[in-house]
Amino acid sequence: MAVNNGLILTLFILIATSLAIGYGFGVKARRLPFTAEIGFSQKQWQFLRWWVKLALVVGVLLPICLLVLAWKQPSSWVFWGSYLLIVAVQLICESVFSRWLVPSIVVPIGFFYTAFRLWQLLDGFTQLTFSSLTLVGFGVVVLFWVANLVMLMVMAIPTVFVGSESISQS
């Protein structure tokens, strides 16, 4: 079954949203070993500002360009439409839940959505037809999301994970 199938997309959004809400309430109740705030240093915040701009260009604008370049291929519309839908849902969830629950919720949301996006891209590689130019663009998108997953694991997760000593005792 293709990842960019409506059922798979819906199930992923529902599961990721449920996990995010559980994380938010768990952190608020001090039942999970994560902080409510993101403890980035000044240098990390500077890096992150640059990284978010890069994510906008490589993760959103480049895929829109790739969609336009392959506009005659219905499979391209389905693939890039699904991809951009997941990006939009991620951004909405991060914005709403970080205000409603805890700011650090953007880390697990980013992790789950990036991992799913890589699965989408792997699936898309087998379904799409590429010219040399679109293959290079697609490769850049994949490399960026791999780097984003590494960044989340190396930089972001350690700033919100504080270990089991933070869990309050009942």
Side-chain angles (χ1 to χ4, degrees):
M1 181 178 289
V3 167
N4 294 310
N5 167 301
L7 176 62
I8 299 294
L9 296 173
T10 303
L11 286 173
F12 170 74
I13 291 168
L14 290 173
I15 291 167
T17 301
S18 298
L19 289 171
I21 291 170
Y23 170 92
F25 280 116
V27 169
K28 268 185 136 174
R30 306 186 99 197
R31 298 284 181 201
L32 293 175
F34 299 94
T35 63
E37 300 296 324
I38 302 173
F40 287 145
S41 69
Q42 188 62 30
K43 282 187 178 184
Q44 288 172 320
W45 279 116
Q46 288 173 337
F47 169 80
L48 196 60
R49 283 186 205 98
W50 172 83
W51 192 258
V52 168
K53 290 174 187 168
L54 183 62
L56 176 64
V57 172
V58 177
V60 178
L61 297 178
L62 179 55
I64 290 171
C65 291
L66 292 170
L67 172 61
V68 169
L69 287 171
W71 70 276
K72 290 184 179 180
Q73 298 175 22
S75 61
S76 183
W77 279 97
V78 170
F79 172 76
W80 290 115
S82 300
Y83 170 95
L84 292 167
L85 170 69
I86 291 297
V87 169
V89 171
Q90 176 185 354
L91 294 173
I92 291 166
C93 286
E94 287 177 346
S95 177
V96 170
F97 293 159
S98 66
R99 285 189 211 125
W100 178 48
L101 294 166
V102 293
S104 69
I105 203 166
V106 299
V107 174
I109 290 174
F111 183 84
F112 292 134
Y113 276 85
T114 299
F116 185 79
R117 191 167 298 115
L118 286 169
W119 186 25
Q120 280 185 300
L121 289 164
L122 178 64
D123 189 50
F125 185 73
T126 64
Q127 295 177 13
L128 299 175
T129 304
F130 298 101
S131 67
S132 297
L133 179 63
T134 58
L135 183 60
V136 169
F138 188 87
V140 169
V141 173
V142 170
L143 288 175
F144 173 78
W145 290 118
V146 167
N148 191 68
L149 197 61
V150 170
M151 182 277 296
L152 286 164
M153 291 186 293
V154 171
M155 188 176 98
I157 291 172
T159 65
V160 298
F161 181 72
V162 293
S164 59
E165 71 275 358
S166 72
I167 301 175
S168 66
Q169 302 299 319
S170 299

